[in-house]
Each structure stands twice: as C-alpha cells, then as structure tokens.
Coordinates of all heavy atoms in Angstrom, one line a residue:
M1 N 0.5 5.3 -6.0 CA 1.8 5.2 -5.3 C 2.5 4.0 -6.0 O 2.1 2.9 -5.8 CB 1.6 5.0 -3.8 CG 2.8 4.8 -3.1 SD 2.8 4.8 -1.2 CE 1.4 3.7 -0.9
D2 N 3.6 4.4 -6.7 CA 4.5 3.4 -7.3 C 5.7 3.1 -6.5 O 6.5 4.0 -6.3 CB 4.9 3.8 -8.7 CG 3.7 3.9 -9.7 OD1 2.8 3.1 -9.5 OD2 3.7 4.8 -10.5
I3 N 5.9 1.9 -6.0 CA 7.0 1.5 -5.1 C 8.1 1.2 -6.1 O 8.0 0.3 -7.0 CB 6.7 0.4 -4.2 CG1 5.6 0.9 -3.2 CG2 7.9 -0.1 -3.5 CD1 5.0 -0.2 -2.3
T4 N 9.3 1.8 -5.9 CA 10.4 1.5 -6.8 C 11.4 0.5 -6.2 O 12.1 -0.2 -6.9 CB 11.2 2.8 -7.3 OG1 11.6 3.5 -6.1 CG2 10.2 3.7 -8.0
E5 N 11.6 0.7 -4.8 CA 12.5 -0.3 -4.1 C 12.1 -0.1 -2.6 O 11.4 0.7 -2.2 CB 13.9 0.0 -4.4 CG 14.4 1.4 -3.9 CD 15.8 1.6 -4.3 OE1 16.7 1.0 -3.6 OE2 16.0 2.5 -5.2
F6 N 12.7 -1.0 -1.8 CA 12.5 -1.0 -0.4 C 13.6 -1.7 0.3 O 14.4 -2.5 -0.2 CB 11.2 -1.6 0.0 CG 11.1 -3.1 -0.1 CD1 11.2 -3.9 1.1 CD2 10.9 -3.8 -1.3 CE1 11.2 -5.2 1.0 CE2 10.8 -5.1 -1.3 CZ 11.0 -5.9 -0.2
T7 N 13.7 -1.4 1.6 CA 14.6 -2.2 2.5 C 13.7 -2.5 3.7 O 12.7 -1.9 4.0 CB 15.8 -1.4 3.0 OG1 15.4 -0.2 3.8 CG2 16.7 -1.0 1.8
V8 N 14.1 -3.6 4.4 CA 13.4 -4.1 5.6 C 14.4 -4.6 6.6 O 15.4 -5.3 6.1 CB 12.3 -5.1 5.3 CG1 12.8 -6.3 4.6 CG2 11.5 -5.5 6.5
Q9 N 14.2 -4.3 7.8 CA 15.1 -4.8 8.9 C 14.3 -5.2 10.1 O 13.5 -4.3 10.6 CB 16.1 -3.7 9.2 CG 17.1 -4.0 10.3 CD 18.1 -2.9 10.6 OE1 18.0 -1.8 10.1 NE2 19.0 -3.2 11.5
K10 N 14.6 -6.3 10.6 CA 13.9 -6.8 11.9 C 14.6 -6.0 13.0 O 15.8 -5.9 13.1 CB 14.1 -8.2 12.1 CG 13.3 -8.7 13.3 CD 13.4 -10.2 13.4 CE 12.5 -10.7 14.6 NZ 12.5 -12.1 14.7
L11 N 13.8 -5.3 13.8 CA 14.3 -4.5 14.9 C 14.5 -5.4 16.1 O 13.7 -6.3 16.4 CB 13.3 -3.4 15.3 CG 13.0 -2.4 14.2 CD1 12.0 -1.4 14.5 CD2 14.3 -1.7 13.7
K12 N 15.5 -5.1 16.9 CA 15.8 -5.8 18.1 C 15.4 -5.0 19.3 O 15.6 -3.8 19.4 CB 17.2 -6.2 18.2 CG 17.7 -7.1 17.1 CD 19.2 -7.3 17.2 CE 19.7 -8.2 16.1 NZ 19.4 -8.0 14.8
D13 N 14.7 -5.6 20.3 CA 14.3 -5.0 21.5 C 15.1 -5.5 22.7 O 14.8 -6.5 23.3 CB 12.8 -5.2 21.8 CG 12.3 -4.7 23.1 OD1 13.0 -3.7 23.6 OD2 11.3 -5.2 23.6
P14 N 16.2 -4.8 23.0 CA 17.1 -5.3 24.0 C 16.5 -5.3 25.4 O 16.9 -6.0 26.3 CB 18.3 -4.3 24.0 CG 17.8 -3.1 23.4 CD 16.7 -3.5 22.4
T15 N 15.4 -4.5 25.6 CA 14.7 -4.5 26.9 C 13.7 -5.6 27.1 O 13.4 -5.9 28.2 CB 13.9 -3.1 27.1 OG1 12.9 -3.1 26.1 CG2 14.9 -2.0 26.9
G16 N 13.2 -6.2 26.0 CA 12.3 -7.3 26.2 C 10.8 -6.7 26.5 O 10.0 -7.5 26.8
I17 N 10.7 -5.5 26.4 CA 9.4 -4.8 26.7 C 8.4 -5.1 25.6 O 7.2 -5.4 25.9 CB 9.6 -3.3 26.9 CG1 10.4 -3.1 28.2 CG2 8.2 -2.6 27.1 CD1 10.8 -1.7 28.4
I18 N 8.8 -5.0 24.4 CA 7.8 -5.2 23.2 C 7.6 -6.6 23.0 O 8.5 -7.4 22.9 CB 8.4 -4.5 22.0 CG1 8.6 -3.0 22.2 CG2 7.5 -4.8 20.8 CD1 9.4 -2.3 21.1
T19 N 6.3 -7.0 22.9 CA 6.0 -8.4 22.5 C 5.9 -8.5 21.0 O 5.7 -7.6 20.3 CB 4.7 -8.8 23.1 OG1 3.6 -8.0 22.6 CG2 4.7 -8.7 24.6
G20 N 6.2 -9.7 20.5 CA 6.2 -10.0 19.1 C 7.4 -9.4 18.4 O 8.4 -9.1 19.0
D21 N 7.3 -9.3 17.1 CA 8.4 -8.7 16.2 C 8.0 -7.4 15.6 O 6.8 -7.2 15.4 CB 8.7 -9.8 15.1 CG 9.2 -11.1 15.7 OD1 10.0 -11.1 16.6 OD2 8.8 -12.1 15.1
R22 N 9.0 -6.6 15.4 CA 8.9 -5.3 14.7 C 9.8 -5.2 13.6 O 11.0 -5.6 13.6 CB 9.1 -4.1 15.7 CG 8.2 -4.0 16.9 CD 6.8 -3.6 16.6 NE 6.0 -3.4 17.6 CZ 5.3 -4.3 18.3 NH1 5.3 -5.5 18.0 NH2 4.5 -3.9 19.3
Y23 N 9.4 -4.7 12.4 CA 10.1 -4.6 11.3 C 10.1 -3.1 10.8 O 9.0 -2.5 10.8 CB 9.6 -5.4 10.1 CG 9.6 -6.9 10.5 CD1 8.5 -7.5 11.2 CD2 10.7 -7.7 10.2 CE1 8.6 -8.9 11.5 CE2 10.7 -9.1 10.6 CZ 9.7 -9.6 11.2 OH 9.7 -10.9 11.6
E24 N 11.3 -2.6 10.5 CA 11.3 -1.2 9.9 C 11.5 -1.3 8.4 O 12.4 -1.9 7.9 CB 12.4 -0.4 10.5 CG 12.5 1.0 10.0 CD 13.6 1.8 10.7 OE1 14.6 1.3 11.2 OE2 13.5 3.1 10.6
F25 N 10.5 -0.7 7.7 CA 10.6 -0.6 6.2 C 11.0 0.8 5.8 O 10.5 1.8 6.4 CB 9.2 -0.9 5.7 CG 8.8 -2.3 5.6 CD1 8.4 -3.0 6.7 CD2 9.0 -3.0 4.4 CE1 8.1 -4.4 6.6 CE2 8.6 -4.4 4.3 CZ 8.2 -5.0 5.4
H26 N 11.8 0.9 4.8 CA 12.0 2.1 4.0 C 11.5 1.8 2.7 O 12.1 1.0 1.9 CB 13.5 2.6 4.0 CG 14.0 3.1 5.4 ND1 15.1 3.8 5.5 CD2 13.4 3.0 6.6 CE1 15.3 4.1 6.8 NE2 14.3 3.7 7.4
I27 N 10.4 2.4 2.3 CA 9.8 2.2 1.0 C 9.9 3.4 0.1 O 9.5 4.5 0.5 CB 8.3 1.8 1.2 CG1 8.1 0.7 2.1 CG2 7.6 1.6 -0.1 CD1 6.7 0.4 2.7
Y28 N 10.6 3.2 -1.0 CA 10.9 4.4 -1.9 C 9.8 4.4 -3.0 O 9.5 3.3 -3.6 CB 12.3 4.2 -2.5 CG 13.3 4.2 -1.3 CD1 13.9 3.0 -1.0 CD2 13.6 5.3 -0.6 CE1 14.8 2.9 0.1 CE2 14.5 5.3 0.4 CZ 15.1 4.1 0.8 OH 16.0 4.0 1.8
I29 N 9.2 5.6 -3.2 CA 8.1 5.7 -4.1 C 8.4 6.8 -5.2 O 9.2 7.7 -5.0 CB 6.8 6.1 -3.3 CG1 7.0 7.4 -2.6 CG2 6.4 5.0 -2.4 CD1 5.7 7.9 -1.9
M30 N 7.8 6.6 -6.3 CA 7.9 7.5 -7.4 C 6.6 8.4 -7.4 O 5.5 7.9 -7.3 CB 8.0 6.8 -8.7 CG 8.1 7.7 -9.9 SD 8.2 6.8 -11.4 CE 9.6 5.7 -11.2
L31 N 6.8 9.7 -7.5 CA 5.7 10.7 -7.5 C 5.8 11.5 -8.8 O 6.8 11.7 -9.3 CB 5.7 11.6 -6.3 CG 5.6 10.9 -4.9 CD1 6.0 11.9 -3.8 CD2 4.3 10.3 -4.8
D32 N 4.6 12.0 -9.2 CA 4.6 13.0 -10.3 C 5.2 14.3 -9.8 O 5.1 14.7 -8.6 CB 3.2 13.2 -10.7 CG 2.5 12.0 -11.4 OD1 3.3 11.3 -12.0 OD2 1.3 11.9 -11.3
E33 N 5.8 15.0 -10.7 CA 6.4 16.4 -10.3 C 5.3 17.3 -9.8 O 5.7 18.2 -9.0 CB 7.1 16.9 -11.6 CG 8.4 16.2 -11.9 CD 9.2 16.9 -13.0 OE1 9.1 18.1 -13.2 OE2 9.9 16.2 -13.7
E34 N 4.1 17.1 -10.2 CA 3.1 18.1 -9.7 C 2.6 17.7 -8.3 O 1.9 18.5 -7.7 CB 1.8 18.0 -10.7 CG 2.1 18.5 -12.0 CD 2.8 17.5 -12.9 OE1 2.4 16.2 -12.8 OE2 3.6 17.9 -13.8
D35 N 3.0 16.6 -7.8 CA 2.5 16.2 -6.4 C 3.2 17.0 -5.4 O 4.5 17.4 -5.5 CB 2.9 14.7 -6.2 CG 2.3 14.1 -5.0 OD1 2.5 14.7 -3.9 OD2 1.6 13.1 -5.1
E36 N 2.5 17.5 -4.4 CA 3.1 18.4 -3.4 C 4.2 17.7 -2.5 O 5.0 18.4 -1.9 CB 2.0 19.0 -2.5 CG 1.3 17.9 -1.6 CD 0.1 18.5 -0.8 OE1 0.1 19.6 -0.5 OE2 -0.9 17.7 -0.6
L37 N 4.2 16.5 -2.5 CA 5.3 15.7 -1.8 C 6.6 15.5 -2.6 O 7.6 15.1 -2.1 CB 4.9 14.3 -1.4 CG 3.9 14.2 -0.2 CD1 3.4 12.8 -0.1 CD2 4.6 14.6 1.0
Y38 N 6.5 15.8 -3.9 CA 7.6 15.6 -4.8 C 8.9 16.4 -4.4 O 8.8 17.6 -4.1 CB 7.2 15.9 -6.3 CG 8.4 15.8 -7.3 CD1 8.6 14.5 -7.8 CD2 9.2 16.8 -7.6 CE1 9.7 14.3 -8.7 CE2 10.2 16.6 -8.5 CZ 10.5 15.4 -9.0 OH 11.5 15.2 -9.9
T39 N 10.0 15.6 -4.4 CA 11.3 16.3 -4.2 C 12.2 15.6 -5.3 O 12.0 14.5 -5.6 CB 11.9 16.1 -2.8 OG1 12.2 14.7 -2.6 CG2 11.0 16.6 -1.8
E40 N 13.1 16.4 -5.8 CA 14.0 15.9 -6.8 C 14.8 14.7 -6.4 O 15.1 13.8 -7.2 CB 15.0 17.0 -7.3 CG 15.3 17.0 -8.8 CD 16.1 18.3 -9.2 OE1 15.4 19.3 -9.3 OE2 17.3 18.1 -9.5
G41 N 15.2 14.6 -5.2 CA 16.0 13.5 -4.6 C 15.2 12.3 -4.4 O 15.8 11.2 -4.0
G42 N 13.9 12.4 -4.4 CA 13.1 11.2 -4.1 C 12.4 11.3 -2.7 O 12.8 12.0 -1.8
V43 N 11.4 10.5 -2.6 CA 10.6 10.5 -1.3 C 10.4 9.0 -0.9 O 10.3 8.1 -1.8 CB 9.2 11.1 -1.6 CG1 8.3 10.9 -0.4 CG2 9.4 12.6 -1.9
G44 N 10.4 8.8 0.4 CA 10.1 7.5 0.9 C 9.1 7.5 2.0 O 8.7 8.5 2.4
I45 N 8.7 6.3 2.4 CA 7.9 6.1 3.5 C 8.6 5.2 4.5 O 9.1 4.1 4.2 CB 6.5 5.4 3.1 CG1 5.8 6.3 2.1 CG2 5.7 5.1 4.3 CD1 4.6 5.6 1.5
R46 N 8.7 5.7 5.7 CA 9.3 4.9 6.8 C 8.1 4.3 7.5 O 7.2 5.0 8.0 CB 10.2 5.7 7.7 CG 10.8 5.0 8.8 CD 11.7 5.9 9.6 NE 12.9 6.3 8.8 CZ 13.1 7.6 8.5 NH1 12.3 8.5 8.9 NH2 14.1 7.9 7.7
A47 N 8.1 3.0 7.7 CA 7.0 2.3 8.4 C 7.5 1.3 9.4 O 8.5 0.6 9.1 CB 6.1 1.6 7.4
I48 N 6.9 1.2 10.6 CA 7.2 0.1 11.5 C 6.0 -0.8 11.5 O 4.9 -0.4 11.6 CB 7.3 0.7 13.0 CG1 8.4 1.8 13.0 CG2 7.6 -0.5 13.9 CD1 9.8 1.2 12.7
Y49 N 6.3 -2.1 11.2 CA 5.3 -3.1 11.0 C 5.4 -4.1 12.2 O 6.4 -4.6 12.4 CB 5.5 -3.8 9.7 CG 4.4 -4.8 9.3 CD1 3.1 -4.3 8.9 CD2 4.5 -6.1 9.3 CE1 2.1 -5.1 8.6 CE2 3.5 -7.0 8.9 CZ 2.3 -6.5 8.5 OH 1.3 -7.3 8.1
A50 N 4.3 -4.3 12.9 CA 4.2 -5.1 14.1 C 3.6 -6.5 13.8 O 2.6 -6.6 13.0 CB 3.5 -4.5 15.2
V51 N 4.2 -7.6 14.3 CA 3.7 -8.9 14.2 C 3.7 -9.5 15.6 O 4.8 -9.7 16.1 CB 4.5 -9.8 13.2 CG1 4.0 -11.2 13.1 CG2 4.6 -9.1 11.8
D52 N 2.5 -9.6 16.2 CA 2.4 -10.2 17.6 C 1.1 -10.9 17.7 O 0.4 -11.1 16.8 CB 2.7 -9.0 18.5 CG 1.7 -7.9 18.4 OD1 0.5 -8.1 17.9 OD2 2.0 -6.8 18.9
E53 N 0.8 -11.2 19.0 CA -0.5 -11.9 19.3 C -1.7 -11.1 18.9 O -2.8 -11.7 18.8 CB -0.5 -12.3 20.8 CG -0.7 -11.1 21.8 CD 0.6 -10.4 22.1 OE1 1.7 -10.9 21.7 OE2 0.6 -9.4 22.8
N54 N -1.6 -9.8 18.7 CA -2.8 -9.0 18.3 C -2.9 -8.9 16.7 O -3.8 -8.3 16.3 CB -2.6 -7.6 18.9 CG -2.6 -7.5 20.3 OD1 -3.5 -8.2 21.0 ND2 -1.8 -6.8 21.0
G55 N -2.0 -9.6 16.0 CA -2.1 -9.6 14.6 C -1.0 -8.9 13.9 O 0.1 -8.7 14.6
E56 N -1.1 -8.5 12.7 CA -0.1 -7.8 11.9 C -0.7 -6.4 11.6 O -1.8 -6.3 11.1 CB 0.2 -8.6 10.7 CG 0.8 -9.9 11.0 CD 1.1 -10.8 9.8 OE1 0.9 -10.3 8.6 OE2 1.4 -12.0 9.9
R57 N 0.2 -5.4 11.7 CA -0.3 -4.0 11.5 C 0.8 -3.0 11.4 O 1.9 -3.3 11.9 CB -1.3 -3.5 12.6 CG -0.6 -3.4 13.9 CD -1.6 -3.6 15.0 NE -0.9 -3.5 16.3 CZ -0.2 -4.5 16.9 NH1 -0.1 -5.6 16.2 NH2 0.4 -4.4 18.1
V58 N 0.5 -1.9 10.7 CA 1.5 -0.8 10.7 C 1.2 0.1 12.0 O 0.1 0.5 12.3 CB 1.3 0.1 9.5 CG1 2.1 1.4 9.6 CG2 1.5 -0.6 8.2
V59 N 2.3 0.2 12.8 CA 2.2 1.0 14.0 C 2.7 2.4 14.0 O 2.4 3.2 14.8 CB 2.8 0.3 15.3 CG1 2.1 -1.1 15.6 CG2 4.3 0.0 15.0
M60 N 3.5 2.7 12.9 CA 4.0 4.0 12.6 C 4.3 4.1 11.2 O 4.8 3.2 10.6 CB 5.2 4.2 13.5 CG 5.8 5.7 13.5 SD 6.7 6.3 12.0 CE 8.0 5.1 11.8
S61 N 4.0 5.3 10.6 CA 4.4 5.5 9.2 C 4.6 7.0 9.0 O 3.8 7.8 9.6 CB 3.4 5.0 8.2 OG 2.1 5.5 8.4
A62 N 5.5 7.4 8.1 CA 5.8 8.8 7.8 C 6.5 8.9 6.5 O 7.3 8.1 6.2 CB 6.6 9.4 9.0
F63 N 6.3 10.0 5.8 CA 7.1 10.3 4.6 C 8.4 11.0 5.0 O 8.5 11.6 6.0 CB 6.3 11.4 3.8 CG 5.0 10.8 3.1 CD1 3.8 11.1 3.5 CD2 5.2 9.9 2.0 CE1 2.7 10.6 2.9 CE2 4.0 9.5 1.4 CZ 2.8 9.8 1.8
F64 N 9.4 10.7 4.2 CA 10.7 11.3 4.4 C 11.4 11.6 3.0 O 11.1 11.0 2.0 CB 11.6 10.5 5.3 CG 12.1 9.2 4.7 CD1 13.3 9.1 4.0 CD2 11.3 8.0 4.7 CE1 13.7 7.9 3.4 CE2 11.7 6.8 4.1 CZ 12.9 6.8 3.5
K65 N 12.3 12.6 3.1 CA 13.1 12.9 1.9 C 14.2 11.8 1.8 O 14.9 11.6 2.8 CB 13.8 14.3 2.0 CG 12.8 15.4 1.9 CD 13.6 16.7 2.0 CE 12.6 17.9 2.0 NZ 13.4 19.2 2.0
R66 N 14.4 11.2 0.6 CA 15.3 10.2 0.5 C 16.8 10.6 0.7 O 17.6 9.9 1.3 CB 15.2 9.6 -0.9 CG 16.1 8.4 -1.1 CD 15.8 7.6 -2.3 NE 16.6 6.5 -2.4 CZ 16.4 5.4 -3.2 NH1 15.4 5.4 -4.0 NH2 17.2 4.4 -3.1
E67 N 17.1 11.8 0.1 CA 18.5 12.3 0.2 C 19.0 12.6 1.7 O 20.1 12.4 2.0 CB 18.7 13.6 -0.6 CG 18.6 13.3 -2.1 CD 18.9 14.5 -2.9 OE1 18.5 15.7 -2.5 OE2 19.6 14.4 -4.0
T68 N 18.1 13.1 2.5 CA 18.5 13.6 3.8 C 17.9 12.7 5.0 O 18.2 13.0 6.1 CB 18.1 15.1 4.0 OG1 16.6 15.1 3.9 CG2 18.7 15.9 2.9
N69 N 16.9 11.9 4.7 CA 16.2 11.2 5.7 C 15.3 12.1 6.6 O 14.8 11.7 7.6 CB 17.1 10.3 6.6 CG 17.3 9.0 6.1 OD1 16.5 8.5 5.2 ND2 18.4 8.4 6.5
E70 N 15.2 13.4 6.2 CA 14.4 14.3 6.9 C 12.9 14.0 6.7 O 12.4 13.8 5.6 CB 14.6 15.8 6.3 CG 13.8 16.9 6.9 CD 14.0 18.2 6.1 OE1 15.0 18.3 5.4 OE2 13.2 19.1 6.4
A71 N 12.2 14.1 7.8 CA 10.8 13.7 7.9 C 10.0 14.9 7.2 O 10.4 16.1 7.3 CB 10.2 13.6 9.3
L72 N 9.0 14.5 6.5 CA 8.1 15.5 5.8 C 6.9 15.7 6.6 O 6.4 14.8 7.3 CB 7.7 15.0 4.4 CG 8.9 14.9 3.4 CD1 8.5 14.3 2.1 CD2 9.5 16.3 3.1
E73 N 6.3 16.8 6.6 CA 5.2 17.3 7.5 C 3.8 16.8 6.9 O 2.8 17.5 7.1 CB 5.2 18.7 7.8 CG 6.4 19.2 8.6 CD 6.5 18.6 9.9 OE1 5.4 18.5 10.6 OE2 7.6 18.3 10.4
F74 N 3.8 15.7 6.2 CA 2.6 15.2 5.6 C 2.2 13.9 6.2 O 3.1 13.0 6.4 CB 2.7 15.0 4.1 CG 3.0 16.3 3.3 CD1 4.2 16.7 3.1 CD2 1.8 17.0 2.9 CE1 4.4 17.9 2.4 CE2 2.0 18.2 2.1 CZ 3.3 18.7 1.9
E75 N 1.0 13.6 6.5 CA 0.6 12.4 7.0 C 0.1 11.4 5.9 O -0.5 12.0 4.9 CB -0.5 12.5 8.1 CG 0.0 13.1 9.4 CD -1.1 13.1 10.5 OE1 -2.0 12.2 10.4 OE2 -1.0 13.9 11.3
L76 N 0.2 10.2 6.0 CA -0.3 9.3 5.0 C -1.8 9.2 5.2 O -2.4 9.3 6.3 CB 0.2 7.8 5.2 CG 1.6 7.6 4.6 CD1 2.7 8.2 5.5 CD2 1.8 6.1 4.5
E77 N -2.5 9.2 4.1 CA -4.0 9.0 4.1 C -4.3 7.6 4.4 O -3.5 6.7 4.3 CB -4.5 9.5 2.7 CG -4.3 10.9 2.4 CD -4.8 11.3 1.1 OE1 -5.4 10.6 0.4 OE2 -4.5 12.5 0.7
E78 N -5.5 7.4 4.8 CA -5.9 6.0 5.2 C -5.7 5.0 4.2 O -5.2 3.9 4.5 CB -7.5 6.0 5.6 CG -7.9 4.7 6.2 CD -9.4 4.8 6.6 OE1 -9.9 5.9 6.9 OE2 -10.0 3.8 6.6
E79 N -6.0 5.2 2.9 CA -5.8 4.3 1.9 C -4.3 4.1 1.6 O -3.9 3.0 1.2 CB -6.5 4.6 0.5 CG -6.0 5.9 -0.2 CD -6.8 7.2 0.3 OE1 -7.7 7.1 1.2 OE2 -6.5 8.2 -0.2
E80 N -3.4 5.0 1.9 CA -2.0 4.8 1.7 C -1.5 4.0 2.8 O -0.6 3.1 2.6 CB -1.3 6.2 1.8 CG -1.6 7.1 0.5 CD -1.1 8.5 0.7 OE1 -1.1 9.0 1.8 OE2 -0.7 9.1 -0.4
V81 N -2.0 4.1 4.1 CA -1.6 3.3 5.2 C -2.0 1.9 4.9 O -1.2 0.9 5.1 CB -2.2 3.8 6.5 CG1 -1.9 2.8 7.6 CG2 -1.6 5.2 6.9
E82 N -3.2 1.7 4.3 CA -3.7 0.3 4.0 C -2.7 -0.3 3.0 O -2.4 -1.5 3.0 CB -5.1 0.4 3.5 CG -6.1 0.7 4.6 CD -7.5 0.9 4.1 OE1 -7.8 0.8 2.9 OE2 -8.4 1.3 4.9
A83 N -2.3 0.5 1.9 CA -1.5 0.0 0.9 C -0.1 -0.4 1.5 O 0.5 -1.4 1.1 CB -1.3 1.0 -0.2
V84 N 0.4 0.4 2.4 CA 1.7 0.2 3.1 C 1.6 -1.1 3.9 O 2.4 -2.0 3.9 CB 2.2 1.3 3.9 CG1 3.3 0.9 4.8 CG2 2.5 2.5 3.0
A85 N 0.5 -1.3 4.6 CA 0.3 -2.5 5.4 C 0.2 -3.8 4.6 O 0.9 -4.8 4.9 CB -1.0 -2.4 6.2
A86 N -0.4 -3.7 3.4 CA -0.5 -4.8 2.6 C 0.9 -5.1 2.0 O 1.3 -6.3 1.9 CB -1.5 -4.6 1.4
F87 N 1.6 -4.1 1.6 CA 3.0 -4.3 1.1 C 3.8 -4.9 2.2 O 4.6 -5.9 1.9 CB 3.6 -2.9 0.6 CG 5.0 -3.1 0.1 CD1 5.2 -3.5 -1.2 CD2 6.1 -2.9 0.9 CE1 6.5 -3.7 -1.7 CE2 7.4 -3.0 0.4 CZ 7.6 -3.4 -0.9
C88 N 3.8 -4.4 3.4 CA 4.7 -4.9 4.5 C 4.3 -6.4 4.8 O 5.2 -7.2 5.0 CB 4.5 -4.1 5.7 SG 5.1 -2.5 5.7
K89 N 3.0 -6.7 4.8 CA 2.5 -8.1 5.0 C 3.2 -9.1 4.0 O 3.6 -10.2 4.4 CB 1.0 -8.2 5.0 CG 0.5 -9.6 5.3 CD -1.0 -9.5 5.3 CE -1.5 -10.9 5.6 NZ -2.1 -11.0 7.0
L90 N 3.3 -8.7 2.8 CA 3.9 -9.5 1.7 C 5.4 -9.6 1.9 O 5.9 -10.6 1.3 CB 3.5 -9.0 0.3 CG 2.0 -9.1 -0.1 CD1 1.8 -8.4 -1.4 CD2 1.6 -10.6 -0.1
N91 N 6.0 -8.6 2.4 CA 7.5 -8.5 2.3 C 8.3 -8.6 3.6 O 9.5 -8.7 3.6 CB 7.8 -7.2 1.6 CG 7.4 -7.2 0.2 OD1 8.0 -7.9 -0.7 ND2 6.4 -6.6 -0.1
Y92 N 7.6 -8.6 4.8 CA 8.4 -8.7 6.0 C 9.1 -9.9 6.2 O 10.3 -10.0 6.9 CB 7.6 -8.3 7.3 CG 6.7 -9.4 7.8 CD1 7.2 -10.3 8.8 CD2 5.4 -9.6 7.3 CE1 6.4 -11.3 9.3 CE2 4.6 -10.7 7.9 CZ 5.2 -11.5 8.9 OH 4.4 -12.5 9.4
Q93 N 8.7 -11.0 5.7 CA 9.3 -12.3 5.9 C 10.6 -12.5 5.1 O 11.3 -13.5 5.3 CB 8.3 -13.4 5.7 CG 7.2 -13.4 6.6 CD 6.1 -14.4 6.3 OE1 6.0 -14.9 5.2 NE2 5.2 -14.6 7.3
E94 N 10.9 -11.6 4.2 CA 12.1 -11.7 3.3 C 13.3 -11.3 4.2 O 14.4 -11.6 3.8 CB 12.0 -10.7 2.2 CG 11.0 -11.1 1.1 CD 11.0 -10.2 -0.1 OE1 11.9 -9.3 -0.2 OE2 10.2 -10.5 -0.9
N95 N 13.1 -10.7 5.3 CA 14.2 -10.3 6.2 C 14.9 -11.5 6.9 O 14.3 -12.4 7.4 CB 13.7 -9.3 7.2 CG 14.8 -8.7 8.0 OD1 15.9 -8.6 7.5 ND2 14.5 -8.4 9.2

C-alpha cells in the first residue's frame, strides 16, 4: 500500500460523551490496475483514530472512492489496519 497523500482533522464532540481525542484521516493510496479495489479516480482509506486513556488505536476504517467519497464494500485486512494505525500514530499530531 503506497500512500500518496493524506488529510487529518481533529473531530469535535459537542456532547462531551466521547473521552479523549478523535482524528479523522483520509489516506489516499496508489493501487495497481490489476487490484480489485482499483478505480481510475483513485482510492482512499477513511480512518478514525482514537487517543484516550485506553491508548491509541484505529476505531473505524473503510475504503472509499476518491472522486465520489462512496464507500467500497471491501474491509481492510488485519495487516492493512496495522499499517494505517502506525501511519496515524506518526501523523495525528500534525493537526
């Protein structure tokens, strides 16, 4: 999985229900044309990264089409989630 660019935004919880901080990542990746996830307009991974008293972790992740933001019906594999978590850990503080 080659990451070409990303955005990160700290989410606000107006209710105060969620403890800690949450960050929404849009991670854009490059795929081979033979990959079943490949789309001409590009593919991304949307991830919510939590930082709280329980540690740091990905609490949600999903593939999406870059052009339309439409969710794709594929789940990330375990090693992909681990790679996303490592990437988020390195980059959430840039926000």
Side-chain angles (χ1 to χ4, degrees):
M1 175 169 52
D2 292 327
I3 297 172
T4 58
E5 64 182 287
F6 74 98
T7 63
V8 60
Q9 177 180 4
K10 185 174 183 180
L11 300 176
K12 294 175 178 53
D13 175 23
T15 65
I17 294 172
I18 298 174
T19 61
D21 295 321
R22 299 289 187 273
Y23 299 88
E24 181 176 20
F25 280 81
H26 288 196
I27 302 168
Y28 303 104
I29 58 176
M30 182 181 302
L31 300 171
D32 292 330
E33 287 185 30
E34 294 82 33
D35 193 303
E36 63 185 331
L37 284 172
Y38 178 83
T39 64
E40 215 171 287
V43 173
I45 298 170
R46 183 175 293 114
I48 304 295
Y49 190 70
V51 179
D52 58 24
E53 69 276 353
N54 295 318
E56 300 176 6
R57 66 207 176 282
V58 172
V59 294
M60 188 285 302
S61 58
F63 288 106
F64 68 95
K65 290 182 182 180
R66 185 172 184 161
E67 287 184 324
T68 63
N69 274 338
E70 176 187 348
L72 296 171
E73 296 296 321
F74 294 91
E75 290 189 26
L76 278 75
E77 296 176 5
E78 186 176 333
E79 62 271 3
E80 292 170 328
V81 173
E82 290 172 4
V84 167
F87 180 83
C88 291
K89 183 178 181 104
L90 289 174
N91 293 287
Y92 80 90
Q93 296 173 344
E94 290 183 6
N95 186 32

